[in-house]
Amino acid sequence: MDRIELIWMGVKIGAVVFTMLSSVPVMVWVERRGSALMQNRLGPNRVGPLGILQAPVDVVKLLFKEDFIPAHVEKVIFVLAPAVLLIPAFMTFAVVPFAGDIAIDGKALHAQIADLDVGILYVLAISSLGVYGIIMAGWASNNKYSMIGSLRSSAQMISYELSLGLSVLGMIMMAESIHLRDIVAAQSGHIFGFLPRWGVFTQPIGFIVFLTASFAETNRLPFDLPEGESEIVAGYHTEYGAMKFALFFMAEYMNMLVASALISTLFFGGFQLLPGMGRLIDPTGALIAKFFTAGNPADWGRLALEAVSFSIKVGFFMWFFVWVRWTLPRFRYDQLMNLGWKVLFPLSLANLVVTAALMYLRVI
Amino acid sequence: MSGQDIFFYVFSALAVAFSLLVVLGKNPIYSALSLVMVFFCVAANFVLLQAQFIATIQVLVYAGAIMVLFIFVIMLLNADAQSADLGKRRPFQAIAAVLCVALFALFAWSVKNGTTSPERAGFTPEKVASLGGNTQVLSELMFSDYILPFELTSLLLLVGIAGSVAIAKRKLEGARAESPKEGQA
């Protein structure tokens, strides 16, 4: 690994970690203001313009609050649980490509932290570990509400993981690769001459199943039974306070971010430019060339715009999560399980069979 | 010592340490969580051997699915420290120890004398990479040369699933048949 690659790796990791961390306070603000908008309230509007400084103020409060550990908990696991939930959420993003390649000194550099041989399987494997954080929190809290919350959550996550994995298979088959960059590349071009060849148009059922399952995986409304404040106080994080509680909150938003990034990558062309952005490449490249010169300015322009397109797509789905949360009521638990096992699971299997048949007949 | 060696020793030492915690831990939940860590360390060693696919499946299946169910059962049965009192079962421990030593000897012998090391079978890391990577090579082998064992394994799993559903369903029907009586009483 030479100097350029090393610098590029550092820049990538720094940019991704910084973006992920800083998206949390922004999302908290968006969620609070957005929910207020939908419910005809005001939301936080006093601290700073439009209340935007409310989030940093809350962070300071959480950091300086007493880090209290109740006497009846299993200490080691109680302290570990929030970290166990947060770390997989961070790790998953490592394989998500957020822009195209760039050539510097004849070397192709990928805008993806790790190009693993197993591609999307890594995402599924790591995201299946997050459930331990919830189980550990619920069990260590030694509290019936926490326990019920963590049992609900783990049952729900295991049930929906199947549909989640199966719904991705259709896209993998059509791209003939499990590498996320290849899946993005397979979504370039158009169908019928005008529609982008995005997964949402070629695999609509896979998209619906994946979207629903990712709501269940992130424990967000309408599937937020693990928290269900009207029934079990706050579920698995009832006994947590201060920064440890904030870590659970961060993990939820991280999972949302990763889910949005995966939805964009798998079904919305990933980092591919949004329609009409192509004509901006040259001006952007010229602008970038004023600040530093390495490689081709047009390439840098494309890279920057791809990163922007990806961010817009991810941002839309983050907003979609908020939108759904404040629009739909919570499911009942049996409805949730019925939906997972009796609707989504057969649907994703049927989608797989139909995709395979159509590919065999060379229709798609 | 290269970086790979350091990682190998770190993860191996962690795997051994967590395995000991699994066996010696008093609390079943701690044992189960330590077992998850063992799987994780073994997966890391698989990655060091350039077997990313096996490593991912190890995490996905063992750490992500099977152990979650184990922990579930332990939590629901509320098996606490007292119920795991194994002190009185000395003969079983002796048998287990003998079997473990025998198994370890077998592994050591087969590692030393085995003939199917990856290099000898022709799959060096470079060759695998040139053939399109781990997952591709493995899946092609599985669906061509080894299709029969693969399908037999899936049949075995299907039988297992059908069997467990049949057993659970019988109990469910038994409970249903009894429930009206409880209602009358």
Side-chain angles (χ1 to χ4, degrees):
Chain A
M1 207 182 256
D2 65 359
R3 216 177 100 253
I4 291 176
E5 281 176 308
L6 217 57
I7 293 173
W8 181 241
M9 188 52 106
V11 168
K12 278 190 294 192
I13 294 176
V16 167
V17 170
F18 175 78
T19 314
M20 287 184 85
L21 278 177
S22 58
S23 75
V24 174
V26 176
M27 274 316 290
V28 171
W29 178 79
V30 169
E31 177 127 43
R32 293 183 68 185
R33 292 289 290 191
S35 65
L37 185 75
M38 286 176 214
Q39 298 178 334
N40 207 5
R41 297 185 281 116
L42 285 173
N45 64 346
R46 302 297 164 88
V47 194
L50 292 172
I52 190 107
L53 291 179
Q54 183 69 46
V57 169
D58 282 344
V59 171
V60 170
K61 182 200 79 173
L62 285 164
L63 275 172
F64 285 98
K65 237 176 159 177
E66 185 192 355
D67 193 16
F68 185 71
I69 298 178
H72 57 78
V73 302
E74 193 81 27
K75 253 190 202 126
V76 179
I77 293 186
F78 184 80
V79 173
L80 276 176
V84 172
L85 189 60
L86 185 64
I87 290 170
F90 255 113
M91 282 169 72
T92 331
F93 213 90
V95 292
V96 177
F98 50 88
D101 295 350
I102 179 116
I104 295 179
D105 293 349
K107 266 204 188 76
L109 302 173
H110 308 309
Q112 178 188 24
I113 292 176
D115 185 16
L116 297 178
D117 209 14
V118 286
I120 184 111
L121 285 177
Y122 168 85
V123 176
L124 297 176
I126 298 296
S127 64
S128 70
L129 294 177
V131 66
Y132 282 110
I134 294 174
I135 294 187
M136 284 162 76
W139 181 76
S141 294
N142 199 6
N143 166 326
K144 59 184 172 187
Y145 299 119
S146 303
M147 184 74 178
I148 292 171
S150 75
L151 285 179
R152 280 182 177 188
S153 158
S154 25
Q156 167 180 334
M157 284 170 91
I158 291 171
S159 305
Y160 278 75
E161 229 161 57
L162 280 171
S163 317
L164 193 81
L166 283 173
S167 62
V168 177
L169 275 183
M171 277 314 288
I172 294 176
M173 280 160 68
M174 289 184 67
E176 295 180 353
S177 170
I178 53 169
H179 294 259
L180 283 166
R181 253 179 322 125
D182 294 345
I183 294 176
V184 171
Q187 296 177 61
S188 61
H190 296 270
I191 34 179
F192 310 130
F194 66 99
L195 217 51
R197 189 184 283 280
W198 286 351
V200 64
F201 301 120
T202 52
Q203 282 280 322
I205 295 171
F207 165 66
I208 290 167
V209 173
F210 189 87
L211 187 73
T212 318
S214 53
F215 271 88
E217 287 286 306
T218 47
N219 290 326
R220 292 276 300 187
L221 256 163
F223 305 126
D224 75 331
L225 291 116
E227 290 174 38
E229 50 281 83
S230 54
E231 303 155 22
I232 49 172
V233 193
Y236 54 87
H237 56 62
T238 304
E239 298 283 353
Y240 283 85
M243 206 53 208
K244 285 208 277 297
F245 165 74
L247 285 182
F248 280 112
F249 226 72
M250 275 169 74
E252 181 178 327
Y253 284 103
M254 292 292 170
N255 280 326
M256 257 165 75
L257 185 72
V258 169
S260 309
L262 284 177
I263 293 169
S264 318
T265 305
L266 290 170
F267 297 102
F268 284 83
F271 55 75
Q272 283 177 25
L273 297 182
L274 290 165
M277 262 176 127
R279 66 191 65 170
L280 291 175
I281 288 179
D282 286 328
T284 319
L287 192 71
I288 290 171
K290 280 181 193 160
F291 295 104
F292 71 97
T293 47
N296 184 358
D299 270 352
W300 279 110
R302 179 182 53 79
L303 194 81
L305 286 175
E306 279 172 343
V308 169
S309 302
F310 184 66
S311 309
I312 291 174
K313 289 171 188 172
V314 174
F316 172 76
F317 281 102
M318 298 282 274
W319 168 248
F320 188 73
F321 271 93
V322 173
W323 194 2
V324 168
R325 174 170 178 184
W326 298 98
T327 309
L328 295 179
R330 184 180 301 138
F331 273 51
R332 221 170 51 212
Y333 202 71
D334 57 325
Q335 293 172 330
L336 171 89
M337 283 293 157
N338 279 345
L339 182 70
W341 288 105
K342 294 184 181 166
V343 179
L344 291 185
F345 185 56
L347 204 62
S348 53
L349 274 179
N351 183 44
L352 201 62
V353 173
V354 170
T355 309
L358 288 179
M359 281 184 73
Y360 183 72
L361 298 171
R362 299 189 189 282
V363 178
I364 44 176
Chain B
M1 211 181 335
S2 72
Q4 280 222 332
D5 287 344
I6 295 172
F7 276 118
F8 171 76
Y9 284 116
V10 167
F11 284 119
S12 303
L14 281 174
V16 171
F18 280 113
S19 313
L20 287 175
L21 279 178
V22 175
V23 185
L24 301 175
K26 286 268 183 287
N27 193 327
I29 290 262
Y30 280 88
S31 293
L33 289 174
S34 305
L35 193 56
V36 175
M37 288 309 293
V38 174
F39 287 140
F40 218 81
C41 294
V42 173
N45 274 342
F46 278 134
V47 172
L48 290 177
L49 290 170
Q50 303 288 323
Q52 290 98 332
F53 183 74
I54 309 277
T56 316
I57 295 300
Q58 167 105 352
V59 172
L60 187 66
V61 175
Y62 283 97
I66 292 179
M67 282 316 291
V68 174
L69 294 178
F70 265 62
I71 293 178
F72 232 77
V73 171
I74 295 173
M75 272 166 53
L76 285 176
L77 292 180
N78 214 358
D80 47 16
Q82 287 93 15
S83 67
D85 186 16
L86 299 168
K88 290 161 197 157
R89 298 182 196 159
R90 281 282 149 75
F92 288 106
Q93 283 182 342
I95 294 169
V98 169
L99 285 177
C100 285
V101 170
L103 195 64
F104 182 77
L106 181 71
F107 282 157
W109 180 83
S110 61
V111 165
K112 204 157 182 291
N113 301 321
T115 49
T116 48
S117 79
E119 274 75 19
R120 280 180 230 176
F123 285 108
T124 55
E126 294 79 33
K127 197 180 168 208
V128 169
S130 74
L131 285 173
N134 233 291
T135 317
Q136 184 125 16
V137 172
L138 202 71
S139 51
E140 271 172 15
L141 278 177
M142 228 181 235
F143 286 102
S144 58
D145 292 1
Y146 298 98
I147 183 80
L148 191 67
F150 180 74
E151 290 299 327
L152 282 179
T153 315
S154 54
L155 199 67
L156 196 67
L157 282 173
L158 188 66
V159 170
I161 294 170
S164 61
V165 168
I167 291 170
K169 200 139 192 276
R170 196 186 304 152
K171 276 189 188 151
L172 213 65
E173 276 162 3
R176 271 204 199 116
E178 277 170 24
S179 58
K181 283 181 207 161
E182 282 170 22
Q184 284 163 8

